[in-house]
Amino acid sequence: MTRGVWHRAAAAVLAVGVAVALVAGCTPKRSSDDRPAPHRTPVTQGAPAGFETYYGQKVDWESCRGVGDGDYQCAQITAPKDWSDAGGGDIELSVIVHLASSGTAKGSLFVNPGGPGASGVDLVQQAASFAVGDELLDSYDVVGFDPRGVGRSTAVRCLDAAAMDRYLFAIPSAPRGTPERTAEQQSSAESFARACDSNSDGLLPYVTTENAARDLDLLRGVLGDEKLSYLGYSYGSFLGATYADLFPKNVGRVVLDGGLDPSIPSAIVGARQAAGFQSAFDAYLASCLTGSDCPFSGTEANARQQMGDALAAVDASPLTASDGRKLGADSLVTGIVSALYSEGNWSSLSSAITGVLEGDADEMFELVDRYYNRYDGQYLDNSTEAFSAYNCMDYPADPADVVADANADVAAKAPTFAPYWSSDASLCDAWPYPPTGSRNEIHAEGAAPILVIGTTNDPATPYEWSAALAKQLSSGILLTRVGEGHTGFNKGNACIDDAVVAYFEDDRVPDGDLRCEAP
């Protein structure tokens, strides 16, 4: 049995990424009576038995730098490696706080950009306004954190940059669809998994969403918040829903944007994402064919066939980029998927596809590198390693009949990508530790109202997942953004933005599900 291959659900759009120059923030004046998040008294009441000292720990906060105006504080917070064993050793969680611009905070607002594996520290440090919008930045201490295994926290480590390039971009010598090709890919997966185990100092079995949710409650307590205010994007919605299920009484204001349905198996996740990216690609084609710089011609059906021919051509004869990497069909699909996270990328996608049709792979590799957060031959974070670690621990292996049904769905609903979407080789089958997660509905009985945002043509977290999550949650309310692209808040839809801001600012909860047409 193999596990379905599914694409990361946020990193390409929310992990801000490449070569941003940090500048010194401007520190607003504060009275001595103000107590921003780093200086509030920790909340230890309700801490899990045996872990009280973690919740009450003294933290050494330091001023740090961020992009744009603002007062930033950074720290490393100690957490238990194993939440079932208080004596099982420690890990460190990296945290950054953008103190409320107004000088007086309503409390902390935690934000997670998804992935799994994207850095919340980078998101807040490099693009705090993009993360939560200026109104919430004014009234909350906005907290970015790297979950366990990620970024500046105690992290999963696997390969150096050169070895990662070989793992991600080396093209098997055997033809597609043959047992020999599968054997090559499985050998590569096994080598990657062994490297992760060797270089991660015993961390791998504890890199799970449940443990990350327990860490999030620890951070809430350490920063002195009685209730959690949280904005989670994409995979961050799964982290937030898991938190609400574990700690329903600690839920304050929680928004889950780009929901994941926690009840469906990984193969079905991958199949539905394939259909989502096909839908987004079809929307791109419809728009592209009306313009003057479209690399395709004729009808939409003609354009889909032309894209299919291009994929088959590079699969048979990969293009060589200026840095020596080979662009085959798998990397071409990754580049297309990377661009389809946002309608704003469509012109770049047209230009990159034009390059491919003319024999030039460089622009397409720029889109591929954006997906992997790779720049100038280096990986700016460990998001790919962390993504693998979380998913291999969170998702149990799928039965053969589920995989077969998923493959049939991909063939029927994503014909452009189907030949290249997955393989019989599985990294997670090679993972050195068995998965501990399960696929079940999340209800979070007793939690305060939780807002779930779904975008109707979101390719990475299809709308039906947000609808399902809102229905599962005992207090879920669905906000529908009619439009293209991944996630819905702070994307220019005033109806969505106003509802979210009113919820966080004034605790105003919509009377029921809300549908917001495109502006």
Side-chain angles (χ1 to χ4, degrees), residues 5-8 158-172 176 181 184-185 187-189 191-193 196 318 323-335 365 367-375 377-388 420 423 427:
V5 176
W6 62 287
H7 289 267
R8 69 184 72 203
C158 302
L159 302 174
D160 63 21
M164 182 63 77
D165 277 356
R166 291 192 294 273
Y167 172 65
L168 293 175
F169 305 121
I171 297 175
R176 190 177 295 276
R181 187 184 183 97
E184 286 186 64
Q185 292 174 315
S187 177
S188 176
S191 295
F192 179 78
C196 295
D323 66 1
R325 286 182 292 168
K326 300 287 187 179
L327 184 81
D330 298 314
S331 288
L332 179 50
V333 167
T334 300
F365 264 123
L367 295 177
V368 173
D369 287 349
R370 186 186 307 174
Y371 184 84
Y372 291 118
N373 215 12
R374 180 184 182 276
Y375 179 71
Q378 298 298 315
Y379 292 83
L380 302 182
D381 57 31
N382 74 325
S383 57
T384 298
E385 292 99 324
F387 173 83
S388 301
Y420 319 103
S423 76
L427 170 63

Side-chain angles (χ1 to χ4, degrees), residues 201-232:
D201 195 27
L203 183 66
L204 294 190
Y206 307 104
V207 180
T208 69
T209 297
E210 179 176 333
N211 280 330
R214 295 186 184 280
D215 293 341
L216 180 55
D217 194 62
L218 168 65
L219 296 178
R220 173 201 60 79
V222 170
L223 269 69
D225 292 275
E226 297 281 350
K227 303 283 186 179
L228 179 76
S229 291
Y230 175 83
L231 174 57

Side-chain angles (χ1 to χ4, degrees), residues 16 19-28 62-74 95-99 120-130 137 142 144 152:
V16 183
V20 178
L22 299 183
V23 297
C26 299
T27 304
E62 295 182 352
S63 293
C64 52
R65 303 171 74 190
V67 173
D69 293 340
D71 186 354
Y72 294 83
Q73 297 283 314
C74 293
V95 176
I96 186 171
V97 181
H98 178 289
L99 299 180
V121 171
D122 285 352
L123 179 65
V124 170
Q125 186 175 48
Q126 298 177 10
S129 180
F130 175 75
L137 205 61
V142 176
R152 296 174 181 83

Side-chain angles (χ1 to χ4, degrees), residues 43-52 55 217:
V43 175
T44 59
Q45 185 176 4
F51 296 91
E52 294 87 352
Y55 277 69
D217 194 62

Side-chain angles (χ1 to χ4, degrees), residues 102-468:
S102 65
T104 303
K106 293 177 179 291
S108 303
L109 173 57
F110 292 81
V111 60
N112 179 275
S119 167
V121 171
D122 285 352
L123 179 65
V124 170
Q125 186 175 48
Q126 298 177 10
S129 180
F130 175 75
V132 302
D134 289 335
E135 290 181 78
L136 299 181
L137 205 61
D138 189 61
S139 56
Y140 278 88
D141 293 330
V142 176
V143 183
F145 62 99
D146 287 355
R148 60 173 56 213
V150 175
R152 296 174 181 83
S153 294
T154 302
V156 175
R157 302 294 180 197
C158 302
L159 302 174
D160 63 21
M164 182 63 77
D165 277 356
R166 291 192 294 273
Y167 172 65
L168 293 175
F169 305 121
I171 297 175
S173 58
R176 190 177 295 276
T178 63
E180 292 79 9
R181 187 184 183 97
T182 298
E184 286 186 64
Q185 292 174 315
Q186 195 62 41
S187 177
S188 176
E190 289 167 358
S191 295
F192 179 78
R194 285 196 300 271
C196 295
D197 196 27
S198 297
N199 296 323
S200 299
D201 195 27
L203 183 66
L204 294 190
Y206 307 104
V207 180
T208 69
T209 297
E210 179 176 333
N211 280 330
R214 295 186 184 280
D215 293 341
L216 180 55
D217 194 62
L218 168 65
L219 296 178
R220 173 201 60 79
V222 170
L223 269 69
D225 292 275
E226 297 281 350
K227 303 283 186 179
L228 179 76
S229 291
Y230 175 83
L231 174 57
Y233 293 101
S234 196
Y235 160 81
S237 71
F238 179 48
L239 176 60
T242 301
Y243 178 92
D245 207 39
L246 291 171
F247 305 101
K249 294 181 179 178
N250 294 347
V251 169
R253 302 175 181 92
V254 168
V255 173
L256 310 177
D257 189 356
L260 272 69
D261 182 347
S263 69
I264 59 177
S266 64
I268 302 302
V269 170
R272 186 59 190 89
Q273 284 191 315
F277 283 110
Q278 181 73 61
S279 179
F281 184 70
D282 291 346
Y284 153 74
L285 287 180
S287 174
C288 178
L289 290 167
T290 66
S292 59
D293 296 323
C294 186
F296 306 108
S297 60
T299 66
E300 291 179 35
N302 295 146
R304 280 192 293 273
Q305 182 61 52
Q306 291 160 27
M307 188 71 251
D309 291 344
L311 283 161
V314 299
D315 195 45
S317 183
L319 301 178
T320 303
S322 59
D323 66 1
R325 286 182 292 168
K326 300 287 187 179
L327 184 81
D330 298 314
S331 288
L332 179 50
V333 167
T334 300
I336 294 169
V337 162
S338 176
L340 291 175
Y341 275 84
S342 171
E343 189 174 357
N345 296 330
W346 287 1
S347 62
S348 297
L349 178 58
S350 289
S351 182
I353 292 174
T354 297
V356 169
L357 296 177
E358 295 175 350
D360 186 346
D362 285 356
E363 280 194 70
M364 187 58 69
F365 264 123
E366 289 179 10
L367 295 177
V368 173
D369 287 349
R370 186 186 307 174
Y371 184 84
Y372 291 118
N373 215 12
R374 180 184 182 276
Y375 179 71
D376 197 24
Q378 298 298 315
Y379 292 83
L380 302 182
D381 57 31
N382 74 325
S383 57
T384 298
E385 292 99 324
F387 173 83
S388 301
Y390 271 99
N391 284 312
C392 288
M393 292 304 297
D394 280 348
Y395 280 83
D398 296 322
D401 60 332
V402 172
V403 175
D405 288 346
N407 290 339
D409 279 350
V410 173
K413 298 176 182 177
T416 301
F417 305 123
Y420 319 103
W421 191 253
S422 61
S423 76
D424 291 331
S426 169
L427 170 63
C428 292
D429 285 345
W431 206 245
Y433 303 95
T436 56
S438 60
R439 312 317 301 162
N440 300 296
E441 293 187 355
I442 290 179
H443 302 293
E445 296 285 350
I450 296 172
L451 306 189
V452 181
I453 304 173
T455 296
T456 53
N457 206 28
D458 185 327
T461 51
Y463 174 73
E464 66 194 54
W465 293 355
S466 292

